[in-house]
């Protein structure tokens, strides 16, 4: 064989002029539906200086087309751990909030305003308008909802059970659920597969890639003082802020929800030990549900591909390592996400994820709905690496 010959085993990409316009309008329709602004809404954008101003303009355009008013408030960064007091009054007056701020999900004021009916869209994954031209932006939001509902249906409906995380490296971590916790967890709009900001009190992500989490404090109605039985060891393959997956098998050990030790001798293990010991788990298995979210992209919080998991840790103190390598991270240096790409997760006797594959992707209802939009195998299982 001529060594200079070119191997051709796959088709060349379809010319952009034949696809880009239709792809863009698919994504634009998703965007318009998620931003379910109503006539007369008082829209507030909580922004930061690094947000693409075209994103702000896009939200303003949607609002104006529907007869809603918009105000924009900007903090110096997204790393806002609590809503500043000077913002309280304008936030309380808003009916629809679009936010880049870290505190959006956790601040008690935000939680209480949603309980009173305020609608929220978090745009951690829509910081650049050009993201409308990505596969994950045009993936049907209704199909993501069906995938989420299929996963929720695997949580047992009788008795207590453990959410059990394992992987080939030896991870063995359990979170104990009661039926009350299950009901609380799955009652949120995201776990019910409601991907658009239509419902009073909703909290959704756009782009629709991130979560919902297999466990978080929604299970105890956001009582961060509640003791949730959990323990074990995780062997993460990767973490946000590290350029590539770990070569060493690093053990992160938990006593309850608190990290008690990090085992390993590599440079990464030393960094993680200094960073993580004393930190507290707040997201036990943040799962992706958008099959076109890139699997090997873990920044800013992920991976968000189906079956990939991230474990959100609130640190005992700010990390100087995070400050050095990610000074403009969308999250503050008191948070870290540990990543596994090949986990198996069971809820009681039911399997949610098998070796990194989200089982609901092959549910008959999911496959049937996917067939409305194209080839189900391509849509659901052709991953973006």
């Amino acid at each position: 064989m001529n060594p200079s010959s070119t191997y051709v085993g796959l088709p060349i990409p379809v010319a952009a002029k034949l696809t880009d316009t239709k792809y863009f309008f698919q994504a634009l329709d998703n965007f318009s539906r998620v931003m379910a602004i109503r006539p007369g809404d008082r829209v507030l954008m909580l922004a930061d200086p690094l947000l693409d101003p075209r994103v702000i303009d896009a939200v303003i355009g949607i609002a104006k087309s529907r007869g809603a008013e918009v105000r924009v408030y900007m903090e110096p960064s997204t790393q806002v751990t609590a809503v500043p007091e000077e913002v309280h009054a304008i936030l309380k007056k808003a009916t629809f909030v679009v936010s880049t701020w870290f505190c959006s999900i956790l601040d008690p004021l935000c939680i209480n305003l949603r309980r009173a009916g305020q609608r929220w869209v978090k745009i951690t994954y829509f910081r650049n308008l050009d993201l409308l031209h990505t596969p994950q932006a045009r993936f049907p939001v209704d199909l993501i909802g069906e995938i989420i509902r299929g996963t929720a249906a695997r949580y047992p409906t009788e008795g207590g059970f453990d959410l059990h995380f394992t992987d080939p490296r030896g991870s063995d971590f359990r979170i104990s659920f009661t039926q009350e916790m299950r009901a609380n967890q799955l009652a949120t709009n995201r776990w019910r597969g409601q991907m658009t900001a239509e419902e009073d009190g909703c909290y959704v992500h756009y782009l629709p890639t991130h979560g919902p989490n297999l466990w978080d404090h929604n299970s105890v109605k956001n009582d961060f003082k509640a003791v949730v039985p959990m323990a074990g060891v995780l062997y993460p393959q990767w973490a946000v802020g590290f350029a590539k997956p770990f070569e060493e098998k690093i053990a992160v050990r938990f006593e309850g929800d608190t990290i008690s030790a990090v085992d390993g001798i590599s440079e990464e293990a030393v960094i993680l030990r200094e960073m993580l010991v004393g930190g507290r788990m707040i997201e036990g298995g943040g799962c992706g549900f958008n099959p076109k979210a890139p699997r090997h992209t873990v920044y800013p919080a992920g991976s968000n591909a189906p079956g990939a998991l991230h474990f959100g840790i609130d640190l005992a103190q700010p990390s100087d390592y995070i400050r050095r390598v990610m000074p403009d991270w969308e999250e503050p240096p008191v948070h870290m996400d540990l990543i596994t790409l090949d986990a198996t997760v069971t809820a009681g006797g039911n399997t949610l994820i098998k070796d990194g594959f989200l089982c609901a992707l092959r549910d008959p209802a999911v496959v049937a709905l996917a067939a409305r939009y194209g080839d189900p195998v391509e849509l659901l299982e052709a991953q973006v690496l």
Side-chain angles (χ1 to χ4, degrees):
M1 179 182 291
N2 184 347
S4 65
S5 64
T6 301
Y7 296 103
V8 179
L10 294 171
I12 62 172
V14 177
K17 65 182 179 181
L18 300 178
T19 61
D20 281 3
T21 299
K22 62 176 72 75
Y23 286 167
F24 177 71
F25 275 87
Q26 282 182 273
L28 201 59
D29 184 60
N30 280 344
F31 172 70
S32 179
R33 292 181 58 203
V34 172
M35 296 291 171
I37 297 169
R38 304 169 184 165
D41 263 335
R42 297 182 297 278
V43 180
L44 175 63
M45 287 202 70
L46 302 177
D48 64 272
L50 298 182
L51 178 65
D52 183 349
R54 297 177 299 167
V55 170
I56 296 175
D57 286 345
V59 174
I60 292 174
I62 291 289
K64 283 185 172 294
S65 74
R66 297 175 186 173
E69 64 180 45
V70 183
R71 285 180 170 79
V72 180
Y73 181 91
M74 185 173 291
E75 276 290 298
S77 81
T78 63
Q79 299 173 359
V80 186
T81 55
V83 176
E85 187 174 348
E86 57 269 28
V87 186
H88 285 197
I90 59 173
L91 179 58
K92 290 176 181 178
K93 290 180 180 178
T95 57
F96 192 100
V97 181
V98 180
S99 176
T100 70
W101 295 2
F102 175 76
C103 68
S104 301
I105 188 63
L106 298 172
D107 189 295
L109 174 62
C110 304
I111 292 171
N112 288 332
L113 287 171
R114 285 193 289 272
R115 285 174 177 164
Q118 196 176 70
R119 295 156 15 248
W120 279 66
V121 179
K122 183 73 174 352
I123 56 169
T124 301
Y125 301 93
F126 188 54
R127 297 185 55 79
N128 184 323
L129 194 71
D130 294 336
L131 288 167
L132 285 173
H133 298 283
T134 61
Q136 63 266 35
R138 61 180 178 263
F139 190 85
V141 292
D142 292 333
L143 185 50
I144 297 174
E146 191 65 31
I147 295 167
I148 292 171
R149 286 189 291 271
T151 303
R154 285 171 162 76
Y155 282 67
T157 56
E158 295 183 1
F161 60 92
D162 283 350
L163 199 63
H164 188 201
F165 302 84
T166 59
D167 59 44
R169 290 168 305 288
S171 291
D172 185 0
F173 188 83
R174 294 176 183 268
I175 303 174
S176 295
F177 269 74
T178 65
Q179 278 299 306
E180 181 181 7
M181 289 171 59
R182 174 196 173 278
N184 292 338
Q185 187 80 40
L186 302 183
T188 61
N189 64 281
R190 295 171 72 202
W191 265 117
R192 287 183 287 106
Q194 181 61 44
M195 306 304 297
T196 63
E198 297 177 43
E199 291 186 351
D200 289 348
C202 67
Y203 182 90
V204 303
H205 274 272
Y206 186 80
L207 300 174
T209 60
H210 183 77
N213 304 309
L214 300 184
W215 171 84
D216 58 30
H217 282 88
N218 281 307
S219 68
V220 288
K221 296 187 175 181
N222 289 301
D223 179 1
F224 287 88
K225 296 181 180 179
V227 177
V228 176
M230 64 177 74
V233 59
L234 292 173
Y235 288 87
Q237 290 170 279
W238 203 353
V240 173
F242 293 83
K244 59 183 180 179
F246 306 136
E247 294 184 5
E248 184 185 21
K249 191 172 78 168
I250 300 171
V252 179
R253 302 188 183 277
F254 288 80
E255 294 181 6
D257 64 2
T258 302
I259 295 173
S260 58
V262 176
D263 301 344
I265 61 173
S266 62
E267 179 182 359
E268 291 84 0
V270 172
I271 293 169
L272 289 174
R273 185 156 45 244
E274 179 180 326
M275 179 192 302
L276 293 176
V277 172
R280 184 186 186 196
M281 171 120 35
I282 63 165
E283 296 170 355
C287 187
F289 292 93
N290 186 326
K292 299 308 181 188
R295 193 166 189 86
H296 294 157
T297 297
V298 305
Y299 184 92
S303 163
N304 288 303
L309 297 176
H310 60 275
F311 297 85
I313 310 298
D314 269 8
L315 308 180
Q317 60 276 323
S319 166
D320 288 344
Y321 174 82
I322 294 175
R323 287 171 166 166
R324 286 194 297 270
V325 302
M326 299 188 294
D328 296 319
W329 189 25
E330 284 79 1
E331 303 190 338
V334 293
H335 185 79
M336 171 49 59
D337 288 314
L338 305 175
I339 315 298
T340 62
L341 303 174
D342 59 356
T344 293
V345 184
T346 57
N350 302 330
T351 303
L352 278 62
I353 298 170
K354 179 64 175 176
D355 298 328
F357 182 83
L358 186 70
C359 297
L361 294 177
R362 291 179 179 164
D363 281 2
V366 171
V367 173
L369 183 58
R372 298 184 189 178
Y373 299 96
D375 175 13
V377 174
E378 187 282 323
L379 276 171
L380 299 171
E381 298 190 33
Q383 296 180 343
V384 179
L385 299 178

